[in-house]
Amino acid sequence: MAFIDELFGGISPGWMNFLSLLGLTATLAGLFFTWREATNAATKAQDAEDAARSLREAVENATLRIARQDLIGSMAQARQLITQLDTAQQSKSTEFVVQTLVQLGDHFSQLQALITQDSTNLVPDEFADQLKRSQASVLSTKAKLARSPSPDIPKLMGNTLKHLAQLRVDFYQIETSSKYATDSQEG
């Protein structure tokens, strides 16, 4: 206590009150500025989190859009191969038919891989089952054509063409529903 009296002994009580008030004011001002900076930091952190969430959603949407476009593009190619198979069957060229069946079987495998990876739920389960049945029919017909020295192409192709005709209708329906879904999301 003696030390404080020596140190501040020469200061009048009025000045002591003034300095105390000044110290209290400086402390409160410091607390206010600290609170304001903490509030600003919290707001900026929330803004950064919102921006990150928006970016993540944009990337996910773009990824889904690309996956959907790949799937639809693959379906369009499959439709073209089915049309090519119709032409090959009418030409009665076993080699052309077998070649087209090989391409179609390979393309169906790729399409099934895309469907398996599809997270957009664009393709109903029934379609995936129809695609598997059609692929099995294509592979079976290809094997029968390859084994037969002089195959009756229309007879061997009958069941396969039925499967493919239904599959072609399913392709159109999925492509159309995807187009409307995309238009409504963009509009």
Side-chain angles (χ1 to χ4, degrees), residues 23-33:
L24 179 62
T25 304
T27 301
L28 291 176
L31 287 173
F32 170 76
F33 288 121

Side-chain angles (χ1 to χ4, degrees), residues 82-113:
I82 292 169
T83 301
Q84 182 178 330
L85 183 61
D86 287 340
T87 303
Q89 187 258 341
Q90 291 171 2
S91 75
K92 298 185 181 175
S93 165
T94 305
E95 186 179 316
F96 187 30
V97 171
V98 169
Q99 178 185 7
T100 306
L101 287 170
V102 167
Q103 290 175 344
L104 197 54
D106 290 345
H107 197 75
F108 283 174
S109 294
Q110 294 170 6
L111 190 54
Q112 284 179 342

Side-chain angles (χ1 to χ4, degrees), residues 43-59:
T43 301
K44 288 178 183 178
Q46 183 62 42
D47 291 345
E49 186 177 317
D50 291 345
R53 185 179 313 111
S54 294
L55 180 61
R56 195 171 30 254
E57 289 172 1
V59 168

Side-chain angles (χ1 to χ4, degrees), residues 18-36:
F18 174 74
L19 290 175
S20 295
L21 186 60
L22 187 63
L24 179 62
T25 304
T27 301
L28 291 176
L31 287 173
F32 170 76
F33 288 121
T34 302
W35 171 80
R36 189 176 69 182

Side-chain angles (χ1 to χ4, degrees), residues 54-183:
S54 294
L55 180 61
R56 195 171 30 254
E57 289 172 1
V59 168
E60 288 172 4
N61 288 337
T63 302
L64 290 176
R65 220 175 302 117
I66 290 168
R68 180 174 280 189
Q69 289 171 348
D70 286 348
L71 191 57
I72 295 302
S74 186
M75 287 180 186
Q77 289 173 346
R79 277 191 296 104
Q80 290 172 349
L81 285 170
I82 292 169
T83 301
Q84 182 178 330
L85 183 61
D86 287 340
T87 303
Q89 187 258 341
Q90 291 171 2
S91 75
K92 298 185 181 175
S93 165
T94 305
E95 186 179 316
F96 187 30
V97 171
V98 169
Q99 178 185 7
T100 306
L101 287 170
V102 167
Q103 290 175 344
L104 197 54
D106 290 345
H107 197 75
F108 283 174
S109 294
Q110 294 170 6
L111 190 54
Q112 284 179 342
L114 287 173
I115 290 170
T116 302
Q117 298 169 359
D118 177 37
S119 61
T120 64
N121 298 322
L122 176 64
V123 178
D125 292 338
E126 302 83 33
F127 173 80
D129 294 340
Q130 174 69 21
L131 182 62
K132 287 177 187 174
R133 286 191 299 275
S134 295
Q135 184 177 23
S137 181
V138 163
L139 295 175
S140 172
T141 302
K142 180 186 75 161
K144 289 176 188 174
L145 285 170
R147 283 192 305 249
S148 180
S150 58
D152 182 2
I153 293 175
K155 182 179 177 186
L156 288 175
M157 294 287 296
N159 193 33
T160 300
L161 291 177
K162 288 179 188 173
H163 282 286
L164 295 177
Q166 179 58 48
L167 195 60
R168 188 182 303 176
V169 170
D170 292 344
F171 284 144
Y172 279 121
Q173 289 174 343
I174 291 170
E175 289 175 52
T176 302
S177 68
S178 173
K179 172 77 172 126
Y180 288 124
T182 302
D183 288 348

